[in-house]
Structure formats: structure tokens, C-alpha cells
């Protein structure tokens, strides 16, 4: 590669826009590129591009730009220099940029907090390596992190550890799983995709052969696991969930219930995704949320207690009332045997 | 930024890294391509100064430690330089498994800003010669999410600056303005909290970050307070949610095939003609009663009387409340 005979003269008035994100990114990338290549003499350009997450073409443009950088006028040793050998590149003069820039406070914080999160996650395979890495990064970042951020997750680590090991061996699993939406415990065969932790809870994401779709199984609801003698085979159409919006994203075709709640039950507005929260009379609030199952909603409302009244749907209000009445009748009858419709469903009055 | 400007900034970094003496703007202009101008032409000179100011700001934004000072006591004009030891990332000798862990940690962030910070931090480690295996996995990966108040509150805690914010607790009707000296930020069981000294309550308080409404305002100067020595942030948050000891035992009768949610939780069970008998551990009679009422007539409490009475009382009130509604048409 021949250096341009004359350095391209910088125009005195460049675009004023300056400082946009992409350009700041490019400057950061260029300052990293020299030490990156310096540490890997003779690296293939394609490999470096893949590693740095840019296209080969972009990387070549970056190299071309760096090629003309350095202090002028003092001769060839003053400009960044590199040797090309086929598709390989070696930095032969770094012009003083031999190290990457130190971490910014945000970068240090982002890495340290994520590592702490990882170190606190039960069932992580190589926790010891995570802790060693954390100590080294904290040490290097020095007082940048001084950042008073602590993490404690505390899940049932034994169960999670057992599941993680089973998932790691890559076989299909038969699990006994409790589904609160239907209040039932079922057996099903799953082909695990991955294990993850969201909001302090561990999940197995897997193809469920019973439901024939990808499902998230909460670790603390898996009551038993048996590893099968067959490999986990995930059908090609299976896609992992997008969890950026949380685990439960209520879809608009689910039944909507509206409750009138008192002060003591307002916690549900933080705990469940509510579609609407309106202030009512006095302490009362009107709260609307989507539920996967009206049977679940009935148990939910009964469990919340007398501070809650169902506003809609009428069907749910009837069920709640009928269940409470039937339960009271059972307590009133002398033999104590639960009476009435054994299915416990509300009968139309 | 044009290619020209990027090139000029790289050259500015090289120039200031190479000097031990502080260089004045005029000296920099004479060395760094792109700053050529006529210092005697007021308009041209002014354009140069604006350009130089923008460039300095851009470098500082990126975290380049630009030092200001004068070359000697005889100089009055400020000069600039970058100290290599301040600029350079210190050597971090990471073993391959440690590097893999950092690589995984960097992609856990679900928050856009911190995800970008984590990956640019990782890019610097790679630039320092650390090789990161992109295929590595630790078998179980947490999704790291934070509330919007996380960034301003960690920054304020780091700089020890007082803050104020509006805080909405669900049992209060309206958000209230709180003034806090933030000591630190804690993730406890998947939720984020800030722990600090509440200036209006004159006491230590924990605030859940998801309850902060709107912007966090920084009120005080940096270094405005001193957190207590030997501070254990977690203990302040964990105080209200320690492990619950379930020493009580309740016996309930459950219809065959019903109340699966209770069965998986029973410490003992047996079946009889009237249904299955379960023994349930509990800590607090009222919260057990609430849970049992959820199952309606599928579950009947046999013992102890305090749980049985609590369940009956709740059922009566629930029935009455929904009766009223039905009579007044409130539910329709």
C-alpha cells in the first residue's frame, strides 16, 4: 500500500453537525484499533473485522484513515505505519497510541454490575472464573466503580443447579410442572433451549412437546425432573422469547378484569402489569388487568380478600360470590363435607 | 463527523500524548493537520478557536483525560497535554475463562445505555489484547435490567451528591417529593433500591427505583456528605424481607384432584372418604387464610381454630361485599 503523496488537506470548515453518536463511535473505534492490531501482529483482516463487529470494508476504510495519521513533517516514523501481507496486517509504528483508553465510569459500572449479577446467579457454571474476573476488573477500574452498587439475588440454588446441569447435558427432560393459571400439576416432555434469570427468578426456556411451542418454565414451579435417554431436539421453527419487556406480556385477546381495590391491595398495581389504574372514591382505586384464565382470576380475587370487589366481568363477580357462599355452607354443615357442585363452578342464579 | 474531523481528532490525541510540555493552542495548530489558519485574520482565528473548543469537548466526552496547565511560570496562555498513564487502560491480565465471563457479562444488559457502555468497555479490553470467546456460555444467564432512575442515582451516590425525586408508594394517593443523600444502589431479589439518608425524615430509608416518578434532580455539590463507615447496603434492604420461618402447622381437607397449588406445598398428606388431608406449614395465620380462601369450597380448614376462623370471616366479608354489588347493580 502506498501512502498518498500529499496528506489530504483538511478543509478549514468541515460540517458543523459534529458530535453525533456514530462519529463518536468511530473515533472510539479508531483509538481502539491501533492497540488491538498491535496486540495481534499479522491478524487476518477478515478475522479482525468479525471480532470487532464491523464489515471488512469498514475496517479497510478505518485502516486507510489511520494510515495518514500521526505527527507531520518529521519523516516516515511519525505516521502510524502498518505492513500488509496478503490479507494480513501488522502495525509497525503506533505513533504513541499503544494502549486503549481507560474505562469511563459508565463502562466500568456496566461491566462490574453485570459481573456481580452473574456471580450472584445461582447455578452459574464457572462462578469462580466470574469472581476472579470481577476482582481484576474492579482492581483495574479503581475508584471509577467506587460505585456503591450491590447485588443479591437469592433463588433456590439447589434446584437451579440441578436444572442447569441437566440442561447442559443436552437431553430431553420429563418435568412435573405446576401451572398457577389453571392450578394444575402436569407432566410434560421438554427440549431445553437455554436457562435464564429474569427479575431474580430462574427459568428454563424449552420446546414443550405437549403445547408444541416454546415455553418458559419457572424453576421454582418445576417439582420434579427426569433426564430422558434421548437428545433434546428443538424444532427449527422454535424461537426464543423476546424478554426485553418482561416475562409476562399480556396480549389484548386475554380477558380483561376490573377490580375496585382498597389501600391495602394497591400493591397489585406494582406486581401485575395493569392496563388501567384510576382513582375512585376515597381510598378506592379501579384497576384493570389482563388475565390468562378466569379461574385464576377467581382464586386471585378470593385470595385478595374483602378489600376487593369485582367490577367486571359480571361472570367473575358471580363466581367469586358463589364460591364464597359454597365454602361457607361447607363450614356450616355438621358433617363438614363440602357440599354443592363438586366442580365448584358458579351456577347461574 | 466527517472523515476529516475524525482524522484531525486522532491526530490531536497523538500530538497531545507525545508531548510532556503543555502545548498552547497556537502550538497545537502548528502541529496538527486540519487546524491551519491565519492567526492575524480575526475571523479565521475565531473559526479555529471554535473548532478547537468543539474538539476538546468531543475528546473529554469520550473520556480522554485532557490536562490543562502552563508550560512554565513565564507563560500565561493555557496549554494542553494528555498524560499517558492517565490515558492508558492499565494492564488487566485475564485468563481465557475470566475473559469469557466478562464477554458474557457485557451482553446481559437489557438497558440500551448500559448495554452500549458494557460493549464499549469490552472493546477496550479486547484492544488491550484480551481475546474473548464469543461462543462461551455459563449455562444460565441473567437478564440485567434496571429502572430509569438507576443511572442518575448511581452517579449521585458515586459523587456523593444530594438528590431529590418524586416517589410514588402504592399505599399513598400521590407521589411525594423526597430529598435523599444516596449511599448506594442495591439489587435485592431482582428489584432495585437506593439506600440513603432521607433528609426530611432524618432517618435511613430505602426507595424502590421503580417507584421513582420522573427525573432524579441532583441538588447538592459533589462530596456533599459522607456515608456511614462500614456501611452494609444489602442489610438495609434485606431487613424488611428476611427469610420467613414456617413453624405453624395447619390441617386442611381438600377435594380429590383439586387445589394442586396447595398439594405441592404440603409437608404431609393422606386420603380419606371426605377428601385428602394435607398438613401445611405456615408463618402467619392471616396470610395462610388468604391463600386458602382462594380455593373456595375445594378446601376446608380443620385445624387450628385461628386459621379456620380467619378463613370463615374472610369468606363472609367477600360474600357480603359481592352481594351488595349484585343488589345495587354495581357488578353489572
Amino acid at each position: 500500500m502506498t501512502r498518498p503523496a500529499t496528506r489530504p488537506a483538511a478543509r478549514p470548515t468541515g460540517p458543523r453537525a459534529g458530535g453525533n453518536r456514530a462519529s463518536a463511535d468511530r473515533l472510539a473505534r479508531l483509538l481502539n484499533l491501533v492497540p488491538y492490531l498491535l496486540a495481534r501482529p499479522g491478524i487476518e483482516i477478515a478475522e479482525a473485522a468479525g471480532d470487532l463487529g464491523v464489515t471488512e470494508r469498514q475496517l479497510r476504510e478505518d485502516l486507510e484513515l489511520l494510515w495518514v495519521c500521526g505527527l507531520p513533517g518529521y519523516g516516515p516514523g511519525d505516521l502510524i505505519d502498518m505492513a500488509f501481507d496478503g490479507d494480513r496486517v501488522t502495525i509497525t509504528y503506533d505513533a504513541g497510541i499503544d494502549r486503549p483508553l481507560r474505562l469511563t465510569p459508565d463502562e466500568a459500572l456496566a461491566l462490574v454490575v453485570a459481573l456481580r449479577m452473574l456471580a450472584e446467579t445461582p447455578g452459574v457454571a464457572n462462578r469462580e472464573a466470574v469472581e476472579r474476573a470481577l476482582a481484576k476488573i474492579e482492581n483495574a477500574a479503581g475508584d471509577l466503580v467506587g460505585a456503591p452498587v450491590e447485588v443479591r439475588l437469592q433463588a433456590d440454588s439447589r434446584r437451579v443447579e440441578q436444572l442447569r446441569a441437566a440442561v447442559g447435558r443436552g437431553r430431553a427432560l420429563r418435568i412435573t410442572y405446576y401451572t398457577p393459571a389453571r392450578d394444575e400439576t402436569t407432566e410434560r416432555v421438554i427440549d431445553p433451549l437455554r436457562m435464564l434469570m429474569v427479575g431474580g427468578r430462574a427459568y428454563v426456556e424449552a420446546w414443550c412437546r405437549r403445547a408444541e411451542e416454546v415455553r418458559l418454565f419457572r424453576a421454582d414451579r418445576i417439582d420434579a425432573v427426569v433426564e430422558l435417554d434421548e437428545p433434546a431436539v428443538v424444532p427449527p421453527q422454535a424461537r426464543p422469547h423476546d424478554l426485553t419487556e418482561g416475562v409476562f406480556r399480556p396480549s389484548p385477546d386475554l380477558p380483561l378484569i376490573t377490580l375496585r381495590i382498597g389501600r391495602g391491595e394497591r400493591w397489585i398495581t406494582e406486581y401485575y402489569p395493569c392496563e388501567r389504574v384510576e382513582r375512585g372514591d376515597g381510598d378506592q382505586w379501579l384497576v384493570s388487568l389482563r388475565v390468562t384464565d378466569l379461574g385464576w382470576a377467581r382464586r386471585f380475587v378470593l385470595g385478595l380478600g374483602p378489600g376487593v370487589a369485582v367490577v367486571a366481568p359480571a361472570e367473575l363477580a358471580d363466581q367469586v360470590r358463589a364460591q364464597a357462599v359454597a365454602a361457607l355452607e361447607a363450614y356450616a354443615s355438621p358433617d363438614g363435607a363440602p357440599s354443592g357442585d363438586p366442580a365448584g363452578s358458579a351456577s347461574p342464579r | 463527523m466527517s472523515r476529516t474531523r475524525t482524522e484531525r481528532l486522532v491526530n490531536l490525541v497523538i500530538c497531545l500524548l507525545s508531548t510532556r510540555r503543555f502545548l498552547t493552542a497556537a502550538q497545537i495548530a502548528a502541529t496538527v493537520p486540519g487546524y491551519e489558519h491565519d492567526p492575524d485574520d480575526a475571523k479565521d482565528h475565531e473559526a479555529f478557536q471554535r473548532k478547537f473548543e468543539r474538539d476538546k469537548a468531543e475528546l473529554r466526552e469520550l473520556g480522554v483525560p485532557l490536562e490543562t496547565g502552563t508550560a512554565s511560570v513565564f507563560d500565561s496562555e493555557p496549554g494542553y497535554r494528555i498524560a499517558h498513564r492517565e490515558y492508558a487502560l492499565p494492564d488487566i491480565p485475564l485468563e481465557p475463562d475470566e475473559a469469557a465471563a466478562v464477554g458474557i457479562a457485557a451482553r446481559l444488559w437489557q438497558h440500551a445505555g448500559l448495554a452500549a457502555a458494557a460493549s464499549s468497555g469490552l472493546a477496550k479490553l479486547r484492544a488491550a489484547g484480551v481475546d474473548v470467546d464469543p461462543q462461551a456460555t455459563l449455562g444460565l444467564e441473567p437478564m440485567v435490567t434496571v429502572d430509569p432512575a438507576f443511572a442518575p442515582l448511581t452517579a449521585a451516590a458515586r459523587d456523593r451528591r444530594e438528590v431529590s425525586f418524586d416517589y410514588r408508594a402504592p399505599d399513598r394517593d400521590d407521589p411525594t417529593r423526597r430529598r435523599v443523600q444516596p449511599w448506594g444502589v442495591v439489587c435485592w431479589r431482582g428489584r432495585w433500591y437506593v439506600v440513603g439518608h432521607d433528609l426530611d425524615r432524618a432517618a435511613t430509608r430505602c426507595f424502590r427505583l421503580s417507584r421513582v416518578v420522573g427525573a432524579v434532580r441532583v441538588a447538592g455539590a459533589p462530596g456533599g456528605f459522607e456515608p456511614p463507615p462500614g456501611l452494609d447496603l444489602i442489610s438495609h434492604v434485606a431487613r424488611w424481607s428476611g427469610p420467613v420461618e414456617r413453624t405453624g402447622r395447619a390441617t386442611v381437607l381438600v377435594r380429590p384432584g383439586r387445589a394442586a397449588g396447595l398439594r405441592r406445598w404440603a409437608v404431609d398428606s393422606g386420603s380419606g372418604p371426605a377428601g385428602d388431608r394435607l398438613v401445611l406449614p405456615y408463618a402467619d395465620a392471616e396470610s395462610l387464610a388468604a391463600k386458602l380462601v382462594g380455593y373456595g369450597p375445594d378446601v376446608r380448614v380443620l385445624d387450628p381454630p385461628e386459621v379456620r376462623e380467619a378463613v370463615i370471616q374472610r369468606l363472609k366479608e367477600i360474600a357480603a361485599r359481592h352481594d351488595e354489588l349484585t343488589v345495587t347493580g354495581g357488578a353489572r
Side-chain angles (χ1 to χ4, degrees):
Chain A
M1 191 162 166
T2 48
R3 195 185 298 281
T6 50
R7 186 177 299 274
R11 279 184 307 269
T13 47
R16 286 286 154 88
N20 65 52
R21 184 77 224 169
S23 67
D25 283 352
R26 186 167 194 211
L27 179 59
R29 198 170 72 223
L30 288 168
L31 293 179
N32 277 336
L33 186 53
V34 180
Y36 173 88
L37 295 175
L38 205 56
R40 297 164 181 83
I43 192 174
E44 267 186 45
I45 290 180
E47 186 194 337
D51 209 18
L52 298 168
V54 294
T55 63
E56 218 179 304
R57 185 197 149 121
Q58 181 65 66
L59 181 57
R60 284 181 189 277
E61 280 174 17
D62 286 351
L63 290 175
E64 226 172 276
L65 191 153
L66 285 174
W67 178 266
V68 293
C69 286
L71 295 180
Y74 304 109
D78 298 314
L79 299 176
I80 292 174
D81 215 350
M82 49 193 100
F84 290 87
D85 173 16
D87 284 333
R88 298 173 178 277
V89 60
T90 301
I91 295 279
T92 51
Y93 181 68
D94 60 47
I97 321 183
D98 58 342
R99 292 289 295 172
L101 188 53
R102 64 183 179 167
L103 298 176
T104 64
D106 278 354
E107 288 165 348
L109 183 68
L111 288 178
V112 165
V113 170
L115 279 166
R116 285 186 190 155
M117 205 68 113
L118 207 50
E120 272 288 318
T121 299
V124 155
N126 196 353
R127 181 188 317 281
E128 196 241 338
V130 176
E131 279 165 359
R132 276 185 277 120
L134 179 58
K136 288 182 182 179
I137 302 281
E138 279 176 328
N139 193 35
D143 53 353
L144 287 182
V145 184
V149 178
E150 288 180 29
V151 175
R152 193 70 49 85
L153 295 174
Q154 284 200 355
D156 177 357
S157 53
R158 223 183 33 186
R159 164 53 42 88
V160 174
E161 177 61 44
Q162 182 199 2
L163 283 167
R164 203 263 311 153
V167 169
R169 285 187 286 269
R171 274 182 281 177
L173 307 176
R174 176 180 291 119
I175 60 169
T176 307
Y177 191 69
Y178 174 66
T179 312
R182 288 184 301 280
D183 187 41
E184 63 181 18
T185 303
T186 50
E187 288 221 340
R188 53 184 88 207
V189 175
I190 61 169
D191 300 288
L193 283 146
R194 59 172 176 166
M195 267 197 92
L196 50 142
M197 190 111 185
V198 187
R201 289 201 170 106
Y203 296 83
V204 179
E205 189 167 35
W207 176 262
C208 176
R209 295 191 193 173
R210 187 182 147 112
E212 297 194 323
E213 61 180 23
V214 175
R215 288 273 172 93
L216 278 172
F217 298 97
R218 223 169 93 172
D220 62 347
R221 290 177 180 159
I222 299 178
D223 289 341
V225 190
V226 177
E227 274 184 74
L228 301 183
D229 220 5
E230 52 178 303
V233 182
V234 179
Q237 73 269 28
R239 290 280 171 279
H241 288 83
D242 173 14
L243 296 169
T244 45
E245 300 289 317
V247 174
F248 178 65
R249 270 185 304 171
S251 72
D253 52 331
L254 290 174
L256 184 73
I257 66 167
T258 301
L259 309 176
R260 183 175 287 122
I261 64 173
R263 203 176 284 277
E265 293 77 31
R266 289 184 188 174
W267 59 269
I268 68 174
T269 59
E270 289 194 314
Y271 202 82
Y272 298 95
C274 290
E275 207 147 285
R276 222 177 57 221
V277 177
E278 273 172 43
R279 191 125 13 125
D281 304 332
D283 283 353
Q284 303 284 308
W285 280 7
L286 276 177
V287 173
S288 300
L289 57 157
R290 302 258 168 214
V291 298
T292 44
D293 189 283
L294 272 191
W296 176 85
R298 190 188 70 217
R299 285 188 296 281
F300 175 59
V301 171
L302 282 165
L304 285 171
V308 172
V310 177
V311 174
E315 184 193 356
L316 179 61
D318 286 344
Q319 284 187 15
V320 166
R321 187 189 159 280
Q323 289 263 299
V325 168
L328 282 170
E329 279 167 4
Y331 280 105
S333 75
D335 62 346
S339 63
D341 172 15
S345 63
S347 43
R349 283 172 300 122
Chain B
M1 191 189 330
S2 63
R3 178 195 158 108
T4 324
R5 176 142 189 251
T6 310
E7 192 183 313
R8 187 175 72 232
L9 285 165
V10 173
N11 283 325
L12 181 57
V13 171
I14 291 173
C15 168
L16 295 177
L17 266 174
S18 73
T19 178
R20 288 218 187 96
R21 291 164 54 91
F22 288 100
L23 298 181
T24 62
Q27 288 167 322
I28 291 168
T31 313
V32 174
Y35 285 138
E36 300 86 351
H37 69 284
D38 177 1
D40 297 328
D41 179 336
K43 225 173 142 188
D44 200 20
H45 187 63
E46 200 186 303
F48 157 72
Q49 283 176 319
R50 273 204 309 271
K51 194 197 282 186
F52 185 53
E53 287 305 312
R54 271 206 315 275
D55 289 357
K56 281 191 296 177
E58 174 100 23
L59 292 188
R60 289 204 165 106
E61 181 97 346
L62 206 62
V64 175
L66 213 55
E67 276 185 272
T68 321
T70 48
S72 78
V73 290
F74 307 110
D75 286 334
S76 55
E77 214 187 319
Y80 305 90
R81 70 177 181 195
I82 300 170
H84 187 270
R85 64 168 194 290
E86 293 294 320
Y87 174 93
L89 181 71
D91 195 29
I92 308 177
L94 291 173
E95 301 296 324
D97 61 349
E98 296 163 359
V102 181
I104 291 163
R107 58 174 144 87
L108 301 177
W109 280 104
Q110 304 295 308
H111 175 281
L114 286 153
S119 57
S120 65
L122 184 65
K124 288 177 178 173
L125 296 181
R126 302 169 99 131
V130 173
D131 281 313
V132 179
D133 175 6
Q135 305 300 323
T137 163
L138 291 174
L140 168 58
E141 297 180 2
M143 320 271 283
V144 184
T145 54
V146 287
D147 302 286
F150 177 84
L153 285 173
T154 46
R158 182 175 57 218
D159 303 340
R160 299 183 176 177
R161 300 182 75 171
E162 217 173 282
V163 292
S164 72
F165 49 79
D166 291 329
Y167 190 69
R168 189 203 314 272
D171 58 342
R172 309 284 296 239
D173 290 330
D174 295 296
T176 49
R177 174 68 53 90
R178 311 300 288 261
R179 296 188 305 131
V180 179
Q181 294 175 340
W183 296 338
V185 176
V186 173
C187 180
W188 170 250
R189 295 184 175 168
R191 286 182 197 275
W192 288 97
Y193 302 83
V194 59
V195 180
H197 180 70
D198 184 321
L199 289 158
D200 298 308
R201 311 293 193 275
T204 305
R205 288 283 187 274
C206 301
F207 300 92
R208 208 186 267 189
L209 263 48
S210 62
R211 294 177 176 175
V212 173
V213 185
V216 174
R217 284 167 294 268
V218 180
F225 60 86
E226 197 63 39
L231 175 65
D232 176 4
L233 289 171
I234 296 271
S235 70
H236 287 283
V237 177
R239 184 174 299 166
W240 292 283
S241 46
V244 180
E245 289 221 23
R246 297 198 168 89
T247 50
R249 293 287 180 273
T251 309
V252 301
L253 203 58
V254 177
R255 281 176 174 161
R258 317 289 296 187
L262 289 184
R263 291 172 190 275
R264 55 196 292 271
W265 182 44
V267 289
D268 194 17
S269 62
S271 51
D276 301 326
R277 195 180 285 259
L278 307 181
V279 178
L280 303 172
Y282 71 96
D284 169 59
E286 274 301 325
S287 39
L288 175 67
K291 192 177 177 88
L292 296 175
V293 165
Y295 293 95
D298 288 341
V299 173
R300 198 157 54 82
V301 183
L302 302 177
D303 193 60
E306 58 162 345
V307 176
R308 189 183 155 98
E309 290 313 315
V311 166
I312 292 173
Q313 186 56 33
R314 279 175 169 262
L315 285 167
K316 281 181 179 163
E317 288 177 31
I318 293 168
R321 178 115 202 233
H322 286 83
D323 250 354
E324 261 170 54
L325 286 166
T326 316
V327 171
T328 60
R332 302 298 151 116

